[in-house]
Structure formats: C-alpha cells, structure tokens
Amino acid sequence: MKKAVFLFLLSFSFLTKAQQFSVTFSEKLSKTALDGRLMLFIADNNKREPRKQISDDSDSQLMFGINVDNWKPNQVQIIDSKAFGYPIASIKQIPDGVYFAQVLLHKYETFHRADGHTLKLPMDRGEGQQFNEAPGNIYSVPVKITIKKASNQSIKLQIDQEIPAIPAPKDTKYIKHIKMKSELLSKFWGRDIYLGANILIPEGFDTHPEARYPLAISHGHFPADFDGFSENPPPADIKTDDYSARFKIYGYNKIVKEEAYNFYKQWTSKDFPRMLIIEIQHANQFYDDSYAVNSANIGPYGDAITYELIPYIEKQFRGIGQGWARFLYGGSTGGWESLAAQIFYPDEYNGCFAACPDPISFEAYTSIDLYKFSNAYYYDSPWKKTAIPGKRDYLGTVKCTVEDMNRHELAIGDKTRSGGQWDIWEAVYSPVGADGYPQRIFDKTTGVIDKKVAEYWKEHFDLLHILKRDWATLGAKLQGKIHIYCGDMDNYYLNNAVYLMEDFLKNTKNPSYNGEVTYGDRAEHCWNGDPNQPNYISRLRYNTMYIPKILKRIEQSAPQGADLTSWKY
C-alpha cells in the first residue's frame, strides 16, 4: 500500500513539475554581483534575435521576466511558470515545438535620492533607455530549443555576450554636441546627472561673430545625433526595395535621406531664417526623455532645462537669451513637452507648435477617461467585458489593446521600470509611493484606476485642466503662443484630447488664445500640420514647417528694441 502511494506521488510530481530555464552568466562579464531584470525571449523563427521581436502588435514573440538581486557569476537563476509573461502569461502555456531562445539582463543601479528613498533603476547609457540595446547589458546568443511539456525538462542558457558602448557623435561644420552637469538634477539623484544637446548652427555662424540668434527647441525622443540633416545626398545606387508597412510604400529609406539632404540645402540657402535649433538629450532612469517638466519621481527637469541647459547653450552659441526669442516644437512626446513647457514657463518661451501631442487632457488619456472610468482595460458595464483599444490604423482597425501594451511593459519591468510609454507617463505624473517608486495610476494586472492618483495627475499635469483653472492669469501670457496639429486618425487616439482642448481654446475670452488647432484628414500619428503632403513626408519636415512660423511670430511679437537685424544676413 505504501509503495503504491509512493509511486502515485512520484508520477504526479513528474507530470506537474513546472518546466524551467536555468540561467547563468560568466565571471568574464562581471566579477561582482549584479541587479536587474532578467528576461527570457522565445521566438518561433530566427529572422531576428528573439530580443528584437517583441512588440505591442499581433506579430510579437514571447517574453518572460523576473527581478534578480545580487546575482553572482555562475549562480543559477530559474525562470519558470512564476515569471510574468507577455503576450501569454506563463511559460507553461507554450505549446510543444521547436523555438529559438535568448536571455538578457537589463542592469539596475542603486540610487540614493534626495527625498530619502533608495531605488534600483536602469541608468541610461547613451542609447535612450532601450533595454535590448543598452551598453553594458549582458545576453546570450540565441539557441534552438525543443519544448516538450511531458519531458519535464530544464533548459540551460548561458549569458556570455555584452552590448558594447556607443561611440560619441562627432562635431561637423553645422552640428555641434554639448554635455553639461545639472546641479539641480545631481542634487535630486544623489550623483552626477548630465544633460546634453545636439545643436544645429546656422550658415554664416563663423563669419558673422556679431550675430545673436533666436533659439528653436525641437522636443522629442532621445536623439543620439541631430536627425534629419545631411550634407550629402543619398547614394545614386541606394536600394529602394525596402517596404514600409506603416506607409505602404517601397524605398522609404531613400525618401528619408532625400529629405535630410533637402533640409541641408534649405538651411544653407540665402533666404532661410538664421536660427539655432537644438535637440535635448534628457534620457533618465525611467525613459528616453524626461517630458521636460518638474516631477516628484524623475526630478526638476523642467527647471534644469529652462534655467541651466538653455542659458548654457545660448551663452556658448550666441543665442539672444530672452524669452521672446525662444520657441518650442515637436511631435508626440515632443508635442506634449512643447505645450507643457510653454504653459509651465509662459514668460520663458514665445510660442509652441505641438504636433500629435501625448494626452493633453486626462479625460482622454488616449482612449481612457481617468476621471469617469473605473478601469483602464475594459469599459464599465454590468455584464459585458469590452476591451479598451490602445492602437489603431487610419481605418480604425485595432492593433492592440491598452491591456496588451501594459502587460508588455510589466514583463520588461515592474515598479514603473519598463522604460515604456505608459510607465513614463506614470513616472512623470504620479506622486512618489511609499516604496519610493511612482504610485500606479492603475493596477497593471487588473486595470483598476486609482482615483486619488488621478486627482494628483489632474492638478499637476492635466494641461487642459490647468489652462481652464488658471486662464485668468495665464491667458495674457499665452496669447498667440499655442499651435496644435493632429491627425484625426491618430494611431493612439491622441486627437480625442485635442478635440477637448480645441473646444476650450476657441471659446476663450479676455483674452482669446489667438492660436491655431488644425487636423489632418485620415492622418495618422506624427502629422505636423501640412495639408499638402502625405504623412510619410510631413513627419520628416518639422524643422522646415515650423521655422517660418517662428519667424512670423517674432515679427508680430518682438518687444521694442529687440535685436531683429544681427541674425538676418
């Protein structure tokens, strides 16, 4: 009888023991223990490395993540059914078959912040918070595996590769690069923190030392170098067989290079306005940029950019250095930053041109109303469970849901550490939690919205609410400065918040906002306000689209005695 029970238990253990992956790293990569997020990637093809086949869309391959602390060389880490997975929840759901597997450790560092909290976060290393490209992260070579659930196997994976450092960009005649230590941010983070910028200087900069220039700040995601500007045309033999699924055209790489060369020709032409254009590098521990505002979790980036970095650049590159001669523009994240910086620092800038901005009202937080909805993943209903869409194409076809996008981020990192879009909104807008990490606006696993956090967001970062609340004092400072452009089929539903903003702005009185809100018919994300060009062209022309508008604004609004001549040559 006892023997029969023993055999039964043995058989049951064999059938139910979770399948697992055992992972080690070589001491050649690090002799000291490491912290971070250990991620397993599994793909059903070898077209690319598995770590580069993860996305929000339906063609995403599989990933699973766990936190590791004090992980020593040659010490085994186990990834099993408890690891959080995307797009499926657990490795035990993977069907039997042949796959390609890879692991990567996204390294965390320890920060002792000025508010007394100690956090473990990934430091940006020049790549703009891209975990699968971050220098110093360690990973394994993809290997072919066979998964057989009934075999109760443990698959061994060895990390023996390290992502190399990224070479610093080199200065050219027109493009310069600067880096400066921010005293404000260094104090907040308890270690040296730097801001950088790529600077496009005008034709004639060296031959006109008397000139002082207006400043155009092009906001957007982390720029490794100044983008969209090339002194050379594309090679005559450049291939044009590359296909852009987004725009449904071939040869888009050639188009991009042609547009960059065309911008160079305009920039150096006789009649193009002479200004400085800068792209700011403010990647941080949570994302590829800071959103250019002061944040309880990320630090005083708004003040650091406005009062430290910009004066530093203007002094070094002969900027005029006054608010009437500073302007902001950008798309998506850069669109939100441009509008936010204009609102929060109304006297320091003389106009913003915000294209397809991230949600400028949390009544339309993409497709979610944070104030009325109880859940960010499903519409409120007594009986139905209808998923809230997260991404669409210009015909309205849903590509993924809000839940999909957030489960993706949660697999990359918990505690708002994914470096993803939803997590950076949370990191910027939320109050600090008891553990030192950002408070969740909604539960990442259930979607339940935290109304107290939503109220904090409203009062501190809901741009529409702030304008409504403070128009009596802000209106006069912002008159003529707000210009917003958005496609009416924005992929991320960003036009919904723009509609709400337009409804308010067009009814403003004492004073009227005297600006512009324009929509592109059936235009997707990154439409910048040009009704005469398709989106795949207009998105490449932010500089040439907005610099003439800036010049017009200067002519209309420059104060008496302003320098309107030294830079016009």
Side-chain angles (χ1 to χ4, degrees), residues 56-236:
D56 290 331
D57 295 339
S58 58
D59 61 352
S60 179
Q61 297 295 319
L62 307 177
M63 71 169 297
F64 307 88
I66 63 171
N67 294 332
V68 294
D69 294 295
N70 199 37
W71 185 19
K72 299 178 177 62
N74 301 314
Q75 178 186 1
V76 175
Q77 289 288 345
I78 299 297
I79 300 177
D80 56 22
S81 60
K82 295 187 292 293
F84 188 89
Y86 167 83
I88 62 175
S90 171
I91 63 172
K92 65 184 178 182
Q93 295 175 273
I94 303 174
D96 289 356
V98 176
Y99 299 92
F100 296 87
Q102 185 177 34
V103 284
L104 176 145
L105 178 69
H106 190 27
K107 292 180 181 177
Y108 292 167
E109 298 180 29
T110 300
F111 295 85
H112 302 284
R113 219 163 49 186
D115 60 4
H117 290 292
T118 298
L119 298 85
K120 291 185 177 181
L121 296 164
M123 186 72 175
D124 181 76
R125 300 162 220 146
E127 86 293 349
Q129 278 294 1
Q130 304 297 316
F131 73 86
N132 57 14
E133 298 177 0
N137 278 356
I138 57 177
Y139 65 100
S140 68
V141 174
V143 295
K144 193 174 185 178
I145 64 170
T146 300
I147 290 181
K148 294 181 179 179
K149 294 179 183 177
S151 68
N152 196 34
Q153 65 196 137
S154 179
I155 298 172
K156 296 181 180 180
L157 297 172
Q158 171 73 25
I159 291 178
D160 57 6
Q161 305 290 313
E162 183 173 10
I163 299 174
I166 298 172
K170 296 180 180 179
D171 285 355
T172 69
K173 178 182 178 180
Y174 296 101
I175 299 174
K176 309 299 180 182
H177 309 88
I178 64 99
K179 188 177 182 180
M180 60 154 284
K181 177 183 174 182
S182 165
E183 297 298 334
L184 292 170
L185 297 172
S186 298
K187 180 179 179 181
F188 179 87
W189 282 104
R191 66 161 73 178
D192 290 351
I193 300 293
Y194 293 83
L195 292 169
N198 306 321
I199 302 152
L200 185 64
I201 62 174
E203 177 72 17
F205 180 87
D206 293 329
T207 56
H208 291 78
E210 76 289 354
R212 297 292 182 269
Y213 301 98
L215 179 69
I217 302 158
S218 177
H219 272 299
H221 294 288
F222 178 82
D225 203 346
F226 197 95
D227 194 28
F229 182 93
S230 175
E231 297 180 46
N232 302 302

Side-chain angles (χ1 to χ4, degrees), residues 219 290-293 330-344 352-362 425 428-429 460-464 466:
H219 272 299
S290 69
Y291 275 66
V293 292
S332 192
T333 292
W336 191 94
E337 290 171 325
S338 298
L339 183 58
Q342 183 65 78
I343 292 171
F344 293 149
C352 71
F353 303 85
C356 52
D358 285 6
I360 53 180
S361 167
F362 301 144
W425 287 332
V428 173
Y429 306 150
H460 292 80
F461 296 104
D462 185 320
L463 301 184
L464 174 56
I466 291 168

